[in-house]
Short mmCIF file of all heavy atoms in Angstrom, two decimals:
data_model
loop_
_atom_site.label_atom_id
_atom_site.label_comp_id
_atom_site.label_asym_id
_atom_site.label_seq_id
_atom_site.Cartn_x
_atom_site.Cartn_y
_atom_site.Cartn_z
N PHE F 1 116.34 89.55 88.62
CA PHE F 1 116.30 90.89 88.03
C PHE F 1 115.25 91.74 88.69
O PHE F 1 115.44 92.93 88.96
CB PHE F 1 115.99 90.73 86.51
CG PHE F 1 117.20 90.64 85.63
CD1 PHE F 1 118.11 89.61 85.79
CD2 PHE F 1 117.40 91.58 84.62
CE1 PHE F 1 119.20 89.53 84.97
CE2 PHE F 1 118.51 91.46 83.80
CZ PHE F 1 119.43 90.45 83.95
N GLY F 2 114.08 91.09 88.94
CA GLY F 2 112.95 91.82 89.52
C GLY F 2 113.24 92.26 90.94
O GLY F 2 112.89 93.44 91.32
N PHE F 3 113.84 91.43 91.75
CA PHE F 3 114.15 91.79 93.12
C PHE F 3 115.03 93.03 93.17
O PHE F 3 114.76 93.95 93.90
CB PHE F 3 114.84 90.64 93.84
CG PHE F 3 113.92 89.80 94.66
CD1 PHE F 3 113.86 88.41 94.46
CD2 PHE F 3 113.12 90.35 95.63
CE1 PHE F 3 113.00 87.62 95.21
CE2 PHE F 3 112.24 89.57 96.38
CZ PHE F 3 112.19 88.19 96.16
N MET F 4 116.09 93.02 92.38
CA MET F 4 117.01 94.13 92.43
C MET F 4 116.42 95.40 91.84
O MET F 4 116.60 96.50 92.39
CB MET F 4 118.31 93.78 91.64
CG MET F 4 119.46 94.75 91.85
SD MET F 4 119.93 94.93 93.59
CE MET F 4 120.65 93.32 93.92
N SER F 5 115.61 95.23 90.76
CA SER F 5 114.97 96.37 90.17
C SER F 5 113.96 97.02 91.13
O SER F 5 113.88 98.21 91.32
CB SER F 5 114.27 95.96 88.88
OG SER F 5 113.50 97.02 88.34
N GLY F 6 113.19 96.15 91.79
CA GLY F 6 112.21 96.61 92.77
C GLY F 6 112.88 97.32 93.96
O GLY F 6 112.36 98.35 94.41
N ALA F 7 113.99 96.76 94.40
CA ALA F 7 114.65 97.36 95.56
C ALA F 7 115.15 98.78 95.22
O ALA F 7 114.97 99.70 96.04
CB ALA F 7 115.83 96.47 95.98
N PHE F 8 115.73 98.96 94.09
CA PHE F 8 116.22 100.27 93.71
C PHE F 8 115.10 101.24 93.36
O PHE F 8 115.28 102.45 93.46
CB PHE F 8 117.22 100.15 92.52
CG PHE F 8 118.63 99.92 92.94
CD1 PHE F 8 119.07 98.63 93.25
CD2 PHE F 8 119.52 100.95 93.09
CE1 PHE F 8 120.38 98.41 93.65
CE2 PHE F 8 120.84 100.77 93.48
CZ PHE F 8 121.27 99.45 93.76
N SER F 9 113.94 100.69 92.96
CA SER F 9 112.82 101.56 92.59
C SER F 9 112.16 102.13 93.79
O SER F 9 111.70 103.31 93.76
CB SER F 9 111.80 100.76 91.77
OG SER F 9 112.35 100.28 90.57
N VAL F 10 112.08 101.39 94.92
CA VAL F 10 111.16 101.78 95.98
C VAL F 10 111.86 102.02 97.31
O VAL F 10 111.23 102.52 98.25
CB VAL F 10 110.04 100.77 96.13
CG1 VAL F 10 110.49 99.57 96.93
CG2 VAL F 10 108.77 101.34 96.73
N VAL F 11 113.15 101.66 97.45
CA VAL F 11 113.81 101.74 98.75
C VAL F 11 113.82 103.19 99.27
O VAL F 11 113.54 103.43 100.49
CB VAL F 11 115.19 101.14 98.70
CG1 VAL F 11 116.14 101.95 97.80
CG2 VAL F 11 115.81 101.04 100.10
N ASN F 12 114.12 104.17 98.45
CA ASN F 12 114.15 105.57 98.91
C ASN F 12 112.74 106.06 99.26
O ASN F 12 112.57 106.84 100.19
CB ASN F 12 114.76 106.47 97.85
CG ASN F 12 116.26 106.23 97.71
OD1 ASN F 12 116.94 105.86 98.67
ND2 ASN F 12 116.82 106.48 96.53
N ILE F 13 111.77 105.62 98.49
CA ILE F 13 110.40 106.00 98.74
C ILE F 13 109.91 105.44 100.08
O ILE F 13 109.26 106.12 100.89
CB ILE F 13 109.48 105.51 97.60
CG1 ILE F 13 109.86 106.20 96.29
CG2 ILE F 13 107.99 105.75 97.92
CD1 ILE F 13 109.16 105.67 95.07
N LEU F 14 110.25 104.19 100.37
CA LEU F 14 109.93 103.59 101.66
C LEU F 14 110.60 104.28 102.77
O LEU F 14 110.04 104.46 103.90
CB LEU F 14 110.30 102.09 101.67
CG LEU F 14 109.45 101.18 100.75
CD1 LEU F 14 109.99 99.77 100.76
CD2 LEU F 14 107.97 101.18 101.17
N ALA F 15 111.82 104.74 102.56
CA ALA F 15 112.56 105.46 103.59
C ALA F 15 111.86 106.77 103.95
O ALA F 15 111.79 107.19 105.11
CB ALA F 15 114.00 105.71 103.20
N ASP F 16 111.31 107.45 102.92
CA ASP F 16 110.63 108.70 103.12
C ASP F 16 109.24 108.50 103.78
O ASP F 16 108.74 109.38 104.41
CB ASP F 16 110.42 109.43 101.79
CG ASP F 16 111.75 109.98 101.26
OD1 ASP F 16 112.65 110.18 102.05
OD2 ASP F 16 111.82 110.21 100.05
N SER F 17 108.70 107.30 103.59
CA SER F 17 107.34 107.02 104.10
C SER F 17 107.27 107.05 105.65
O SER F 17 106.19 107.18 106.21
CB SER F 17 106.78 105.71 103.55
OG SER F 17 107.49 104.61 104.12
N VAL F 18 108.41 106.82 106.29
CA VAL F 18 108.38 106.80 107.75
C VAL F 18 108.37 108.19 108.37
O VAL F 18 108.38 108.36 109.59
CB VAL F 18 109.58 106.00 108.32
CG1 VAL F 18 109.51 104.56 107.85
CG2 VAL F 18 110.90 106.60 107.87
N GLY F 19 108.39 109.25 107.51
CA GLY F 19 108.26 110.61 107.95
C GLY F 19 109.64 111.25 108.16
O GLY F 19 110.68 110.64 107.87
N PRO F 20 109.65 112.48 108.64
CA PRO F 20 108.46 113.32 108.99
C PRO F 20 107.78 113.91 107.77
O PRO F 20 108.44 113.96 106.68
CB PRO F 20 109.04 114.38 109.86
CG PRO F 20 110.43 114.60 109.35
CD PRO F 20 110.91 113.20 108.95
N GLY F 21 106.56 114.33 107.87
CA GLY F 21 105.85 114.95 106.76
C GLY F 21 104.51 114.26 106.49
O GLY F 21 104.29 113.13 106.98
N THR F 22 103.69 114.91 105.72
CA THR F 22 102.38 114.37 105.37
C THR F 22 102.24 114.45 103.85
O THR F 22 102.36 115.52 103.27
CB THR F 22 101.26 115.13 106.04
OG1 THR F 22 101.43 115.06 107.46
CG2 THR F 22 99.89 114.52 105.65
N VAL F 23 101.98 113.31 103.20
CA VAL F 23 101.83 113.30 101.79
C VAL F 23 100.55 114.00 101.38
O VAL F 23 99.46 113.74 101.94
CB VAL F 23 101.81 111.81 101.24
CG1 VAL F 23 101.57 111.83 99.75
CG2 VAL F 23 103.09 111.12 101.59
N GLY F 24 100.62 114.89 100.37
CA GLY F 24 99.45 115.56 99.87
C GLY F 24 99.05 116.81 100.60
O GLY F 24 98.00 117.39 100.30
N ILE F 25 99.86 117.26 101.54
CA ILE F 25 99.47 118.42 102.37
C ILE F 25 99.44 119.69 101.55
O ILE F 25 98.74 120.64 101.88
CB ILE F 25 100.44 118.58 103.60
CG1 ILE F 25 99.83 119.51 104.62
CG2 ILE F 25 101.80 119.03 103.14
CD1 ILE F 25 100.58 119.56 105.91
N HIS F 26 100.21 119.72 100.44
CA HIS F 26 100.20 120.90 99.57
C HIS F 26 99.38 120.68 98.31
O HIS F 26 99.57 121.35 97.32
CB HIS F 26 101.64 121.23 99.17
CG HIS F 26 102.51 121.62 100.33
ND1 HIS F 26 102.25 122.74 101.10
CD2 HIS F 26 103.63 121.03 100.85
CE1 HIS F 26 103.17 122.83 102.04
NE2 HIS F 26 104.04 121.82 101.93
N GLY F 27 98.44 119.73 98.40
CA GLY F 27 97.56 119.55 97.25
C GLY F 27 97.95 118.43 96.31
O GLY F 27 97.26 118.14 95.31
N ASP F 28 99.10 117.79 96.54
CA ASP F 28 99.52 116.68 95.71
C ASP F 28 98.74 115.42 96.06
O ASP F 28 97.99 115.37 97.04
CB ASP F 28 101.02 116.43 95.93
CG ASP F 28 101.87 117.61 95.51
OD1 ASP F 28 101.52 118.22 94.47
OD2 ASP F 28 102.82 117.95 96.24
N SER F 29 98.89 114.39 95.21
CA SER F 29 98.18 113.14 95.41
C SER F 29 98.61 112.44 96.69
O SER F 29 99.80 112.40 97.02
CB SER F 29 98.41 112.19 94.22
OG SER F 29 97.83 110.94 94.50
N GLN F 30 97.62 111.95 97.44
CA GLN F 30 97.91 111.23 98.67
C GLN F 30 98.24 109.74 98.41
O GLN F 30 98.49 109.00 99.34
CB GLN F 30 96.73 111.35 99.62
CG GLN F 30 96.45 112.77 100.10
CD GLN F 30 95.30 112.85 101.07
OE1 GLN F 30 94.65 111.84 101.36
NE2 GLN F 30 95.10 114.02 101.62
N HIS F 31 98.15 109.35 97.15
CA HIS F 31 98.34 107.95 96.79
C HIS F 31 99.77 107.67 96.28
O HIS F 31 100.00 106.64 95.63
CB HIS F 31 97.31 107.51 95.73
CG HIS F 31 95.89 107.76 96.14
ND1 HIS F 31 95.33 107.14 97.24
CD2 HIS F 31 94.96 108.56 95.63
CE1 HIS F 31 94.07 107.55 97.34
NE2 HIS F 31 93.80 108.43 96.37
N TYR F 32 100.68 108.58 96.54
CA TYR F 32 102.03 108.41 96.01
C TYR F 32 102.69 107.13 96.48
O TYR F 32 103.18 106.36 95.65
CB TYR F 32 102.87 109.64 96.43
CG TYR F 32 104.33 109.53 96.10
CD1 TYR F 32 104.77 109.51 94.76
CD2 TYR F 32 105.31 109.44 97.10
CE1 TYR F 32 106.06 109.42 94.45
CE2 TYR F 32 106.65 109.35 96.81
CZ TYR F 32 107.03 109.33 95.49
OH TYR F 32 108.34 109.22 95.15
N PHE F 33 102.70 106.87 97.77
CA PHE F 33 103.40 105.71 98.29
C PHE F 33 102.69 104.42 97.85
O PHE F 33 103.33 103.44 97.44
CB PHE F 33 103.43 105.78 99.82
CG PHE F 33 104.34 106.83 100.36
CD1 PHE F 33 103.84 107.81 101.21
CD2 PHE F 33 105.68 106.90 99.99
CE1 PHE F 33 104.66 108.78 101.69
CE2 PHE F 33 106.51 107.90 100.48
CZ PHE F 33 106.01 108.85 101.33
N LEU F 34 101.37 104.43 97.90
CA LEU F 34 100.63 103.24 97.50
C LEU F 34 100.80 102.95 96.00
O LEU F 34 100.98 101.77 95.61
CB LEU F 34 99.16 103.44 97.84
CG LEU F 34 98.24 102.19 97.76
CD1 LEU F 34 98.68 101.16 98.80
CD2 LEU F 34 96.79 102.58 98.04
N SER F 35 100.76 103.97 95.21
CA SER F 35 100.94 103.78 93.76
C SER F 35 102.37 103.28 93.44
O SER F 35 102.53 102.42 92.55
CB SER F 35 100.69 105.10 93.02
OG SER F 35 99.37 105.53 93.23
N SER F 36 103.32 103.79 94.15
CA SER F 36 104.70 103.37 93.94
C SER F 36 104.87 101.91 94.33
O SER F 36 105.59 101.15 93.67
CB SER F 36 105.67 104.22 94.80
OG SER F 36 105.60 105.57 94.41
N ALA F 37 104.22 101.46 95.39
CA ALA F 37 104.31 100.06 95.83
C ALA F 37 103.68 99.14 94.77
O ALA F 37 104.25 98.09 94.43
CB ALA F 37 103.60 99.88 97.17
N PHE F 38 102.53 99.52 94.26
CA PHE F 38 101.89 98.67 93.22
C PHE F 38 102.66 98.68 91.90
O PHE F 38 102.76 97.64 91.24
CB PHE F 38 100.44 99.13 92.98
CG PHE F 38 99.43 98.58 93.96
CD1 PHE F 38 98.91 99.40 94.95
CD2 PHE F 38 99.05 97.24 93.86
CE1 PHE F 38 97.97 98.85 95.85
CE2 PHE F 38 98.14 96.73 94.80
CZ PHE F 38 97.60 97.53 95.77
#
């Protein structure tokens, strides 16, 4: 259950983490990817 839940929770976020773009450039939190992983 956990494996499948985790995969659907974070797979799109991990795909976005490879760029392009910079997290927090518009004043948002820079810890988005790290917080999502934890």
Side-chain angles (χ1 to χ4, degrees):
F1 269 60
F3 264 125
M4 191 58 69
S5 175
F8 272 83
S9 297
V10 81
V11 65
N12 289 332
I13 296 173
L14 291 175
D16 289 337
S17 70
V18 298
T22 302
V23 178
I25 196 171
H26 296 298
D28 298 319
S29 174
Q30 296 183 354
H31 304 298
Y32 173 66
F33 293 122
L34 193 62
S35 300
S36 300
F38 276 106

